[in-house]
Amino acid sequence: YIRRDVSAADAPIYKGGAADKVSLMVNVYWGTEYIQPMLDIFAENNVTTTFFVGGMWVKDNEETLKKIYAAGHEIANHGFFHKDQKKLDYARNREEIEVTHKLVESILGIKMDLFAPPSGSFGDTTIRAAEDLGYRTIMWSLDTIDWRDKDSELIFSRATKKAEGGSLILMHPTEATVNALNRIIKTLANKQLTVARVSEVLAG
């Protein structure tokens, strides 16, 4: 293994290699009240996915984190304070990832290895810090923009219309997302696409 230039080999991943799987990436810093309904819908459809959790949220919601993990979902890193990581130096980038890593490890006993930068903002220092901590940096293929547009139809359309094998579909715990979720999963299934964890979608 030869370490190549950070901007090439270790560039963020926008899409996985799976032909028949997609992931519904759930980024969590708020919306705790919508997580259980989401877990119920995932369970009813017999699928698991990946929750990218913010450290600040984890600190106040240990029990909910345990529930997500117990339901079979993959837990991944979303930084600690939801900072604009592009503006942070190497040390602060590293701290955002590492503090969250240790916190989740202390609660669940697992070592996360996927990192989604808050707001999709990253610089070379972000990628380098993530890589030095054993992380791959994950972006998205399709964005539901559910945090802004509280419209189930829009969310449904953005999640499904252009979805294809390997798609990483970004969402958050919102009421409109919950209302669209069952239909999203079933529509993807009709397109021969199974909802899976990000790591599975990357693996192909």
Side-chain angles (χ1 to χ4, degrees):
Y1 176 75
I2 299 164
R3 178 166 175 155
R4 291 165 289 175
D5 176 56
V6 117
S7 59
D10 312 305
I13 297 162
Y14 289 82
K15 196 172 181 221
D20 58 351
K21 295 187 190 85
V22 298
S23 194
L24 300 176
M25 300 168 50
V26 186
N27 285 1
V28 184
Y29 263 96
W30 39 260
T32 311
E33 66 271 33
Y34 300 115
I35 289 177
Q36 188 58 55
M38 291 181 95
L39 292 178
D40 292 342
I41 294 164
F42 286 131
E44 283 159 21
N45 286 279
N46 202 25
V47 296
T48 52
T49 192
T50 302
F51 285 75
F52 286 82
V53 296
M56 206 167 63
W57 177 84
V58 168
K59 200 160 60 73
D60 298 327
N61 295 280
E62 283 192 25
E63 291 313 308
T64 307
L65 178 73
K66 287 176 185 168
K67 267 188 201 165
I68 297 169
Y69 184 61
H73 299 284
E74 182 171 45
I75 306 295
N77 196 323
H78 198 31
F80 196 87
F81 285 119
H82 206 281
K83 292 284 189 194
D84 183 343
Q85 305 235 174
K86 191 177 187 174
K87 294 179 179 168
L88 304 181
D89 62 16
Y90 175 85
R92 287 287 291 111
N93 264 293
R94 188 178 171 114
E95 185 182 16
E96 279 288 309
I97 301 166
E98 195 165 27
V99 172
T100 306
H101 180 92
K102 287 178 173 167
L103 180 60
V104 170
E105 188 177 9
S106 73
I107 297 165
L108 298 178
I110 59 166
K111 291 184 190 295
M112 301 180 290
D113 61 2
L114 301 173
F115 168 65
S119 306
S121 177
F122 64 89
D124 278 355
T125 47
T126 314
I127 309 298
R128 204 167 76 241
E131 196 211 21
D132 289 349
L133 290 165
Y135 276 82
R136 288 180 287 179
T137 300
I138 308 297
M139 294 292 283
W140 59 81
S141 322
L142 300 170
D143 189 353
T144 62
I145 324 179
D146 52 359
W147 57 272
R148 186 190 73 192
D149 302 324
K150 297 165 176 54
D151 179 329
S152 295
E153 283 305 316
L154 259 182
I155 293 163
F156 168 76
S157 163
R158 287 174 181 153
T160 57
K161 204 170 177 184
K162 294 180 180 169
E164 57 185 6
S167 289
L168 304 175
I169 303 162
L170 180 60
M171 55 176 49
H172 300 79
T174 79
E175 186 179 2
T177 309
V178 169
N179 292 339
L181 189 56
N182 191 51
R183 197 151 62 101
I184 288 170
I185 297 168
K186 287 184 163 45
T187 301
L188 292 169
N190 287 338
K191 294 176 90 165
Q192 313 303 310
L193 297 169
T194 305
V195 173
R197 303 166 180 193
V198 169
S199 58
E200 295 167 328
V201 175
L202 298 186

